[in-house]
Amino acid sequence: DAGITQSPRHKVTETGTPVTLRCHQTENHRYMYWYRQDPGHGLRLIHYSYGVKDTDKGEVSDGYSVSRSKTEDFLLTLESATSSQTSVYFCAIQKQGYGYTFGSGTRLTVV
Amino acid sequence: AQSVTQLGSHVSVSEGALVLLRCNYSSSVPPYLFWYVQYPNQGLQLLLKYTTGATLVKGINGFEAEFKKSETSFHLTKPSAHMSDAAEYFCAVSDENNAGNMLTFGGGTRLMVKP
């Protein structure tokens, strides 16, 4: 299985502050995704990347930005955190024919 | 656009009873269908998937699902529930099984298993 790690695992931040979440993979998978998980909504796509410096918006991208300067790292930034962004964030990579592999998640609380 | 509906956000069964988790999808093209399981404080892991071929798909931990095109369904079953099956289950759909094709998830079903 491809190694995928997310950091931090937990974070509490104040409203209005910027926050960056990191997703790191140990294999050279081209496609990487950021999802948020909220009760009753399942997982919703925030942004995805199809290569270095190649990213695009997902279903719920407002208030978020991403960067991918290296194949192995995909960063998600909340430019000015709001309470509605309190959620669990999952990164995923996609290996052709095998579906997604998910990280363990980052639990973010905005107070 | 694709969508997935999971009937029942919570399902409770007794240990040893049949597990049935429902999933209906909409897709304008032949779908690829997935079931993922999430244990507490963990990420999602693939349980099984349907791409092409046999419509009855077997997955890990004794689970299986049947693709029924006429009913646009992909229900997940297990003949006999075990306490360790307690988790949240997500159905997902994509229009291809190639890298780069995004998954659309249902809202999830939390399975509780009573002793």
Side-chain angles (χ1 to χ4, degrees), chain A residues 27-100:
Chain A
E27 296 185 12
N28 290 328
H29 294 294
R30 181 179 172 194
Y31 291 91
M32 300 183 75
Y33 306 82
W34 277 108
Y35 283 86
R36 60 178 288 174
Q37 183 181 20
D38 303 290
H41 291 278
L43 278 79
R44 292 179 292 174
L45 182 66
I46 305 171
H47 281 278
Y48 65 99
S49 170
Y50 45 96
V52 173
K53 298 185 179 178
D54 290 324
T55 65
D56 208 346
K57 296 178 180 180
E59 177 188 358
V60 291
S61 60
D62 287 349
Y64 302 94
S65 62
V66 290
S67 66
R68 191 160 177 209
S69 58
K70 299 184 290 184
T71 299
E72 58 265 35
D73 288 325
F74 191 32
L75 304 180
L76 176 71
T77 297
L78 288 66
E79 292 140 8
S80 177
T82 68
S83 58
S84 65
Q85 294 177 310
T86 292
S87 187
V88 182
Y89 291 85
F90 285 100
C91 177
I93 55 177
Q94 191 176 50
K95 189 174 177 182
Q96 186 162 347
Y98 292 90
Y100 286 24

